């Protein structure tokens, strides 16, 4: 056993675990105050659901012996046959360390989709959705991309840390669910402003920090490739922040805090599949393109009429496609070229097609059986009280001296005077919605 590499992978797993609560803060700050806790819980519940499924059968389906290039088998169900002395075939780290690291990816990926469905989904139905989605979509695609025998792995698709399996997968799956569930009441009519931009920045900072484990840790060794990936992660993210800010300043006249945080996520997403295969200048190019294009992409929903509440499609789907395709031409070491670009496109669009179709079917089945959409009354009053019997903030003492009754009176929205925002990462969307408000 290699003790240094084992420690590196374990610490990386802990960093990736931190990304899920970081995502909860990032999304939670963007929604209206009446559903802030619900947004936090939609991420947090994934820690419970996916941890259990991963041990029961998820790890085995994703990384078990190959079945037809499509999925693993059940040889490792319940982590059967694995002990603390069982090592991976490559790298000399315990299988438990590798399985724990990959578990955190499985937890984060469905949580990413939650931002697209903010303010309008039943909490119980959401838990069922992510369980089915992980089983039928994430576990097989993880096998395609990362497991020996998986068809995209054998094809030679470059996806170091999850551009296809995580970001394209979650982004297109979120779009499918949005098309089933429908728009929020008041979409493009009522202001839907973030209630706490400081929470958004806190969440973005935690995600940025954790992403070093996500990206560099995917090398599974404390070596030069991990160092390269860590450096490129920082470079691409910084370039994306600047690209997003410059675009929104030219297009909309302001450098926004929300734009800076969103640009950071766009850069992190885009460098995820490609950072170990490009040099520093390639990382800067990928980040800059992702910042500009994702900033533009978040406004597309208003033209096309789908309500991706916090811009999962505009940031994760588009950013994932950018990083996955650009590495086809920017990869170092002889991998770049039209042939590699073709492989990258095959990987990106096969994941996109499979995930969209199966995600739509899962969402539709839940919608017509137990129901996925919250009631009009619950949506109007806020999902926090409807599903969690709590509110994020107690305003009962504001303007009066009476006792607190935060479960019996709707909390006022402190974001009433904030900049209009209908998106989670969208100066473009903000402006579109501001015009509608006006």
């Amino acid at each position: 056993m290699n003790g240094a590499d084992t420690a590196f992978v374990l610490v990386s797993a802990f960093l990736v675990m931190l990304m899920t609560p970081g995502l909860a803060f990032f999304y939670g700050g963007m929604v209206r105050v009446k559903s802030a806790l619900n947004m936090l819980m939609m991420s947090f519940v994934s820690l419970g659901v996916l941890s259990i499924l991963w041990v029961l059968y998820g790890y085995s389906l994703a990384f078990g012996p190959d079945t037809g290039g499509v999925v693993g088998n059940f040889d490792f169900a319940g982590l059967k046959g694995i002990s603390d002395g069982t090592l991976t075939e490559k790298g000399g780290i315990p299988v438990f360390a590798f399985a724990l690291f990959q578990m955190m990816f499985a937890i984060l990926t469905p949580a990413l989709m939650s931002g697209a469905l903010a303010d309008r989904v039943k909490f119980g139905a959401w838990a069922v959705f992510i369980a089915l989605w992980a089983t039928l979509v994430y576990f097989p695609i993880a096998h395609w991309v990362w497991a020996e025998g998986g068809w995209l792995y054998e094809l030679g698709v470059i996806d170091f840390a999850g551009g296809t399996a995580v970001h394209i997968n979650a982004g297109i799956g979120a779009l499918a669910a949005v098309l089933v569930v429908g728009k929020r009441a008041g979409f493009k009519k009522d202001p839907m402003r973030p209630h706490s931009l400081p929470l958004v920045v806190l969440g973005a900072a935690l995600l940025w920090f954790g992403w070093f484990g996500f990206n560099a840790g995917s090398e599974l060794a404390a070596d030069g490739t991990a160092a390269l990936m860590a450096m490129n992660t920082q470079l691409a993210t910084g370039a994306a922040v600047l690209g997003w800010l410059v675009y929104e300043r030219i297009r909309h006249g302001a450098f926004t805090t929300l734009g800076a945080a969103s640009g950071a996520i766009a850069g992190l997403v885009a460098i995820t599949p490609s950072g170990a295969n490009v040099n520093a200048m390639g990382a800067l190019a990928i980040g800059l393109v992702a910042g500009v294009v994702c900033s533009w992409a978040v406004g597309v929903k208003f033209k096309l009429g789908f309500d991706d509440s916090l811009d999962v499609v505009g940031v994760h789907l588009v950013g994932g496609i950018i990083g996955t395709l650009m590495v086809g031409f920017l990869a170092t070491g002889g991998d770049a070229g039209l042939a590699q670009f073709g492989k990258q496109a095959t990987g990106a669009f096969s994941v996109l097609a499979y995930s969209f179709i199966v995600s739509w079917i899962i969402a539709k089945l839940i919608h017509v059986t137990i129901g996925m959409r919250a009631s009009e009354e619950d949506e109007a009053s806020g999902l926090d009280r409807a599903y969690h019997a709590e509110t994020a903030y107690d305003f009962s003492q504001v303007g009066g001296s009476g006792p607190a009754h935060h479960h019996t009176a709707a909390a006022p929205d402190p974001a009433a005077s904030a900049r209009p925002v209908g998106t989670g990462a969208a100066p473009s969307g903000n402006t579109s919605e501001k015009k509608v408000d006006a």
Side-chain angles (χ1 to χ4, degrees), residues 30 33 37 77 96-97 143 157 193 206 226 250 275 300 344 376:
M30 291 182 199
V33 71
L37 289 180
F96 279 138
H143 184 85
V157 174
R193 305 170 177 121
L206 290 172
I250 294 171
V300 171
Q344 297 304 113
E376 292 182 11

Side-chain angles (χ1 to χ4, degrees), residues 52-316:
I52 294 170
L53 295 186
W54 186 251
V55 169
L56 291 179
Y57 57 82
Y59 174 73
S60 194
L61 291 180
F63 293 101
D66 177 66
T67 303
V70 177
V71 72
N73 61 22
F74 290 98
D75 282 4
F76 301 138
L79 302 185
K80 181 177 58 178
I82 300 172
S83 70
D84 58 1
T86 308
L87 304 182
T88 58
E89 293 182 6
K90 297 180 180 179
I93 64 172
V95 169
F96 279 138
F98 174 73
L100 179 68
F101 179 70
Q102 288 294 340
M103 176 195 288
M104 301 310 170
F105 281 61
I107 289 168
L108 178 67
T109 305
L112 292 174
M113 295 188 291
S114 63
L117 298 162
D119 294 328
R120 60 196 188 279
V121 172
K122 293 179 180 179
F123 183 73
W126 168 252
V128 173
F129 175 80
I130 62 173
L132 293 175
W133 188 87
T135 301
L136 300 176
V137 180
Y138 180 78
F139 299 155
I141 289 179
H143 184 85
W144 295 3
V145 175
W146 290 320
E148 290 189 12
W151 75 277
L152 292 180
Y153 180 94
E154 299 299 332
L155 181 64
V157 174
I158 296 172
D159 187 356
F160 191 76
T164 55
V166 176
H167 298 293
I168 293 175
N169 194 7
I172 196 64
L175 176 60
V178 163
L179 295 179
V180 171
V181 172
K183 307 179 184 77
R184 288 168 291 178
F187 176 65
K188 295 204 293 186
K189 297 178 182 179
D190 300 334
M192 298 179 182
R193 305 170 177 121
H195 87 278
S196 177
L197 287 172
L199 275 186
V200 175
V201 175
L202 172 63
L206 290 172
L207 283 166
W208 193 335
F209 177 65
W211 223 293
F212 287 108
F214 192 90
N215 281 356
S218 292
E219 172 64 0
L220 303 177
D223 60 14
T225 300
L228 172 66
M229 186 57 164
M231 174 62 77
N232 284 344
T233 296
Q234 184 68 19
L235 293 176
T237 307
V241 170
L242 296 181
W244 190 299
L245 289 175
V246 170
Y247 177 85
E248 71 173 357
R249 177 65 176 83
I250 294 171
R251 183 76 172 82
H252 306 296
F255 304 110
T256 68
T257 307
L258 183 60
S262 303
I265 304 305
L268 290 163
V269 168
I271 202 63
T272 290
S274 54
N277 297 86
V278 299
N279 59 25
M281 298 309 295
L284 289 174
I286 289 171
L288 184 63
V289 170
V292 173
V293 175
C294 290
S295 185
W296 165 81
V298 295
V300 171
K301 69 182 182 185
F302 292 102
K303 297 178 182 179
L304 298 181
F306 64 89
D307 184 11
D308 170 19
S309 305
L310 308 183
D311 294 311
V312 178
V313 176
V315 174
H316 292 276

